Amino acid sequence: MSTSALTHRIRVLAAAGHRHDEILTPAALDFVGSLAAAFDERRQELLKERRRQAIRLSAGSPLDFPLVTGAVRADPSWRVAPPAPGLRERRVEITGPPDRRMAVNALNSGASVWMADFEDATSPTWDNIVGGQLTLLDAIERRIDFTTPEGKEYRLREDGRLATIVVRPRGWHLTEEHLKWDGRPVPASLVDFGLYFFHCAQRQIDAGHGPYFYLPKLENRYEARLWNEVFVLAQDLLGIPRGTVRATVLIETVTAAFEMEEILYELREHSSGLNAGRWDYLFSLIKTFGHRTDFLLPDRARVTMTAPFMRSYTQLLVRTCHRRGAHAIGGMAAHVPGKDPAADEAALATVRLDKEREAEDGFDGSWVAHPGLVPVCREVFDGVLGERPHQLDRTRDDVEVTAADLLSVRRVSGPPTPESVRTNIAVALRYFDAWLRGQGAVALHGLMEDAATAEIARVQIWQWLRHRVIDRDTVLRLLDEEVAALGAAYPWAAVDDVRDLFERTALAQELPLFFTPDAYSRHLVRRAEVRS
C-alpha cells in the first residue's frame, strides 16, 4: 500500500523511498504549498491563454512583435542585473539529468556551468524527482562520491573549479501527481523549484554562488512575469535578499522569439540571459504553424542553424541580450564520443564549426551534452574571448530582424526522404521506451537525445501525414517494423505501451501539444500505483 502523509495542505501520494524524508520535510512541503497557493490559479489562466493564442494563430492571426510593448523595446536605458557569482563566465555549459553519475562527471568536466535538468532530460518518475533533489543537496554538501557495484569510483575533484549548478525545473504545463494541494496536483515547476530553493538556496549562497535556474517552454512575457513573482515570494519567505535568484530563459518557442526583450524586462532583477534551443524551437514551429504548407519542414537533420529563419532567431537573441547586459548562450552539441575514431573526428569537426559560428556571432557560451565535448567548445570560445569572461560589449547593432525573417521557413521547406520517415519513427519509439522505463537522456545513433528529440520526431511524422507527403499505410508499415525491431533488441520493452503512445501522439488527427503529460499520467503514475 502507498503511504499518504498530510502536511498542512500538501499530501504525499507515493511510497516512501530511501532518504526521501530528507527532502520531503514538513517545512519544505509547506513552502511548496505556499507557492502553489499563491500562483497555481495564475498558472492555469496562462495555460488557457496559450490555448487561445494557438487558436488565433491557427485561424490566421499574424504573429508579430507586440505593439503594446513597443516602449519597452525602444527604451535604451534599462538593463538586467549584473552577472552573479559563478555566472560571470559561461563559455561552456554541460547539461544532463540530476543523477549522481551525471552530477560528478558534469561538475568535474571543466565546464563553467552544469544545467541539472528536471525537464527534458529526466523521466519524471517519483524516484527520479526526489532522487534528483537528493543529488543536488549531496553535490552542494560535497558528499556525492560513490562507487558502482562494478567497482568504478566517482569522486568530486579536490583541485580546480567545479561547474556552477543551474537547475532547470519542469515547464508550466506539467503537474506532479504524487503531491496534492487542495485536492489538485501541484504544478511540477513549483515542486522542482521549491524543493531545491528551500533546501539549497542558502547553502549555495554560503558556498559563494546562489540559487540559479533555467526556465523552459515560456511562450510570452506574462509567463516570465509569473516566474519573477515566484522568485520574489520565495526569497521573501526564506529571508533571502531580492535579486539573489538568477534565471536564464530558454527561447525555445516561436512566440517567445517575438518577446525576447519583454521576457528579459519582466525578469530583469533576476535575469542572467537567454538560450537558443534548437529542437524545441522547431517543435514549437510545427505545433504553431504545422497546418500550413509554407511551414512544411524537411528532415530535421537538414534544418541546421544556418537556415535563414534560424539565423534570424539566433542573431536576434544575441542582439537582444547584449543590448540589455544579459548573456547569450548557444545551442546543444549532442554528439556522444564512441569507439570509432574516424566517426568521432568527423563529428567533432562538425561540433567545432557550430561553436565557431556561435562564438563569432557573439554568443557568450554554448551547451554540450557530454564531457568529451567540453575541451573543443572551450577551445573555440577561448579563441574568441581570450581573457574576457564574455562578449557583452558586442551589441550587434548591425542585426536587423523582422517578423518575416523569423518566419521565413519556406526557404528551407520541402518533403522528407524515405529514410528520415523511418528514422523519426525509430527514434521516437526508442526514446518513448526509455522514458517509460525512467530514463530521460538516451544515447541514440551517436547523439545524446532527450524529450525534445522525441517531440520533433513525432510532430514531423504528424505534419508529413497532414500534408500527405507520406501516406498512412507507409507509416503504419514502418511502425510495425520498428516496433518489432525494438522488441527484438530489447525484450523487456513494453512495446504495446510504446506503440500506443506513438499512435496517440503522432498519428491522431489533432496534434497533442506534448507527449509528456498524457504519457506521465497514463503510464508512469499508473505503474507507481501498481508497484506500491
Side-chain angles (χ1 to χ4, degrees), residues 328-378:
I329 307 300
M332 173 71 78
H335 173 64
V336 177
K339 298 179 180 179
D340 184 342
D344 279 348
E345 184 177 355
L348 286 174
T350 301
V351 170
R352 180 179 294 276
L353 285 173
D354 188 53
K355 301 311 171 190
E356 287 174 347
R357 173 191 52 76
E358 290 179 330
E360 290 163 4
D361 279 350
F363 281 94
D364 303 292
S366 191
W367 273 11
V368 300
H370 191 279
L373 302 183
V374 170
V376 66
C377 186
R378 180 167 289 281

Side-chain angles (χ1 to χ4, degrees), residues 39-269:
F39 301 115
D40 188 42
E41 185 175 346
R42 285 265 307 286
R43 179 191 74 93
Q44 293 188 53
E45 282 300 318
L46 289 174
L47 294 179
K48 290 178 183 176
E49 177 54 30
R50 281 188 183 183
R51 293 189 285 272
R52 288 190 289 264
Q53 172 75 326
I55 291 170
R56 288 193 293 267
L57 293 174
S58 180
S61 294
L63 182 59
D64 207 338
F65 301 101
L67 288 175
V68 295
T69 54
V72 171
R73 297 193 300 276
D75 181 358
S77 65
W78 64 268
R79 296 287 187 276
V80 304
L87 292 180
R88 190 162 179 262
E89 182 269 300
R90 302 176 62 179
R91 61 192 70 195
V92 190
E93 301 193 349
I94 189 168
T95 75
D99 62 58
R100 299 182 77 82
R101 184 175 310 195
M102 180 69 205
V104 175
N105 286 339
L107 292 169
N108 287 344
S109 67
S112 310
V113 166
W114 170 40
M115 197 272 284
D117 188 10
F118 283 92
E119 198 222 10
D120 279 355
T122 294
S123 173
T125 67
W126 185 234
D127 283 344
N128 283 349
I129 296 302
V130 182
Q133 296 286 344
L134 284 164
T135 293
L136 294 171
L137 180 61
D138 287 349
I140 294 166
E141 293 288 321
R142 298 188 70 96
R143 60 188 186 204
I144 199 170
D145 298 353
F146 71 101
T147 302
T148 68
E150 296 76 28
K152 185 172 183 179
E153 294 185 348
Y154 289 81
R155 301 283 184 267
L156 287 183
R157 61 198 294 180
E158 296 294 336
D159 60 325
R161 171 187 169 185
L162 299 179
T164 300
I165 295 173
V166 179
V167 173
R168 175 159 71 166
R170 286 169 285 177
W172 284 130
H173 61 291
L174 297 169
T175 58
E176 178 49 70
E177 297 283 349
H178 301 97
L179 292 178
K180 292 292 177 72
W181 167 80
D182 269 6
R184 302 193 301 271
V186 179
S189 51
L190 298 182
V191 173
D192 301 339
F193 166 82
L195 292 176
Y196 175 71
F197 191 88
F198 182 86
H199 289 292
C200 299
Q202 190 60 54
R203 284 180 165 93
Q204 287 285 54
I205 295 166
D206 294 342
H209 288 167
Y212 305 145
F213 299 91
Y214 257 105
L215 305 181
K217 305 292 190 292
L218 268 62
E219 297 202 3
N220 54 58
R221 61 193 181 277
Y222 302 110
E223 296 179 13
R225 182 181 300 170
L226 180 58
W227 266 119
N228 196 71
E229 293 176 9
V230 171
F231 298 155
V232 169
L233 178 60
Q235 290 166 131
D236 288 351
L237 287 174
L238 296 191
I240 290 172
R242 292 191 182 187
T244 303
V245 169
R246 287 292 191 278
T248 304
V249 174
L250 291 123
I251 302 299
E252 53 188 353
T253 66
V254 67
T255 52
F258 285 82
E259 299 190 28
M260 294 188 205
E261 210 147 4
E262 292 85 344
I263 287 169
L264 286 179
Y265 182 80
E266 294 293 345
L267 285 161
R268 60 194 181 281
E269 181 183 24

Side-chain angles (χ1 to χ4, degrees), residues 282-414:
L282 295 177
F283 164 47
S284 170
L285 197 76
I286 295 174
K287 282 196 301 181
T288 307
F289 297 111
H291 59 288
R292 290 172 48 174
T293 56
D294 53 335
F295 282 84
L296 180 64
L297 288 174
D299 310 353
R300 60 194 174 99
R302 287 170 52 197
V303 187
T304 67
M305 298 304 285
T306 61
F309 75 100
M310 296 297 281
R311 288 286 288 158
S312 296
Y313 148 66
T314 55
Q315 291 198 318
L316 178 61
L317 189 148
V318 173
R319 181 184 187 277
T320 300
C321 285
H322 287 186
R323 187 178 182 219
R324 303 304 181 181
H327 282 90
I329 307 300
M332 173 71 78
H335 173 64
V336 177
K339 298 179 180 179
D340 184 342
D344 279 348
E345 184 177 355
L348 286 174
T350 301
V351 170
R352 180 179 294 276
L353 285 173
D354 188 53
K355 301 311 171 190
E356 287 174 347
R357 173 191 52 76
E358 290 179 330
E360 290 163 4
D361 279 350
F363 281 94
D364 303 292
S366 191
W367 273 11
V368 300
H370 191 279
L373 302 183
V374 170
V376 66
C377 186
R378 180 167 289 281
E379 180 183 340
V380 168
F381 277 89
D382 283 349
V384 171
L385 297 178
E387 297 299 317
R388 296 177 299 158
H390 48 65
Q391 48 185 335
L392 297 181
D393 57 303
R394 288 195 61 199
T395 55
R396 294 305 312 270
D397 295 330
D398 58 304
V399 171
E400 294 290 340
V401 174
T402 66
D405 293 331
L406 289 173
L407 300 175
S408 60
V409 176
R410 65 169 60 90
R411 296 172 66 182
V412 294
S413 63

